[in-house]
Amino acid sequence: MQAETLAVFIPTFFFVSVTPGLCMTLALTLGMSIGLKRSLPMMWGELLGVGLVATLGIVGIAAMMLQFPKVFLVFKIIGGLYLAWIGIEMWRSRGRLAIPETPDASISIQPWDLALRGFITAVSNPKGWAFLLSLLPPFIDHSRPIGTQLVLMLTIVLTMEFGCLLAYASGGQALRHLLLKQGNVRLLNRITGSLMIAIGIWLILN
């Protein structure tokens, strides 16, 4: 890619990544509920989903998704209901993501489960598809090797996405420490649960 192209590509996709959306809200929520370090598997799953969507957008396979919108709609609704149910459980201080109200209890959740949630959120996010499908193809130079450009684009996009996920999760963790210090465990569960419910509804209605 030429330097002039990169000079436009990098700030464009940084803006796309840093803008609050489903994935960033999920990172913020998990940062509050389980902390930054334990949220990392969700981020790996989310990055895998973003990489898949970006690759499909570049090679043109994503056009098939546009021809069968009902399949995408069903997948999106199932993903939204799944996240909303998790939020309801957290709001009630129940479920694996809820912060225990007893000091000797701990949160137990499998990394693969978090990774799956991140992947589902990324792949079923209409905003992500819209941005990647509309913004990536114009940056492709068909006179140069497509594979090399794809690798470079994905590296840049995923690096910025990961940095923004870390920033949002860190902000959530800071809020977590503040509320736990004040003994507001139930309030923290309800805040994170409400955010998770909002992500689910947002995904369904988007």
Side-chain angles (χ1 to χ4, degrees):
M1 296 179 69
Q2 296 180 349
E4 295 81 1
T5 304
L6 285 174
V8 178
F9 181 84
I10 292 176
T12 298
F13 278 89
F14 175 77
F15 175 76
V16 171
S17 293
V18 78
T19 302
L22 290 174
C23 295
M24 295 304 153
T25 306
L26 181 60
L28 177 71
T29 303
L30 291 181
M32 283 192 286
S33 63
I34 61 177
L36 171 62
K37 185 176 180 179
R38 298 182 66 190
S39 300
L40 289 175
M42 181 281 296
M43 299 182 193
W44 306 138
E46 193 270 346
L47 292 176
L48 179 62
V50 170
L52 176 62
V53 173
T55 302
L56 293 178
I58 292 176
V59 301
I61 299 177
M64 295 177 59
M65 295 291 292
L66 300 179
Q67 294 178 7
F68 302 99
K70 291 184 179 180
V71 176
F72 183 70
L73 178 63
V74 171
F75 184 73
K76 183 167 69 82
I77 291 176
I78 292 175
L81 291 175
Y82 173 63
L83 294 176
W85 169 250
I86 295 172
I88 293 172
E89 291 286 277
M90 294 172 68
W91 201 90
R92 299 167 62 190
S93 294
R94 296 170 56 182
R96 288 176 292 174
L97 279 177
I99 300 171
E101 297 186 18
T102 55
D104 57 341
S106 60
I107 302 174
S108 176
I109 189 168
Q110 296 296 324
W112 67 266
D113 192 5
L114 288 171
L116 179 61
R117 294 176 192 185
F119 179 80
I120 289 175
T121 303
V123 174
S124 57
N125 180 9
K127 176 186 172 184
W129 281 88
F131 273 120
L132 293 173
L133 286 178
S134 61
L135 294 179
L136 277 176
F139 286 99
I140 294 291
D141 185 353
H142 294 281
S143 65
R144 298 171 180 265
I146 301 297
T148 305
Q149 295 179 74
L150 174 61
V151 171
L152 180 58
M153 285 182 171
L154 286 179
T155 301
I156 294 173
V157 168
L158 296 181
T159 299
M160 290 189 294
E161 186 80 1
F162 183 55
C164 292
L165 287 170
L166 287 175
Y168 274 82
S170 299
Q173 181 171 262
L175 182 57
R176 165 191 170 91
H177 290 325
L178 176 64
L179 291 176
L180 288 180
K181 189 175 182 180
Q182 298 174 353
N184 294 322
V185 176
R186 182 177 293 271
L187 175 60
L188 183 55
N189 277 333
R190 291 188 173 183
I191 292 175
T192 53
S194 298
L195 285 173
M196 191 70 77
I197 294 171
I199 294 174
I201 295 175
W202 187 0
L203 188 57
I204 293 171
L205 299 180
N206 199 324

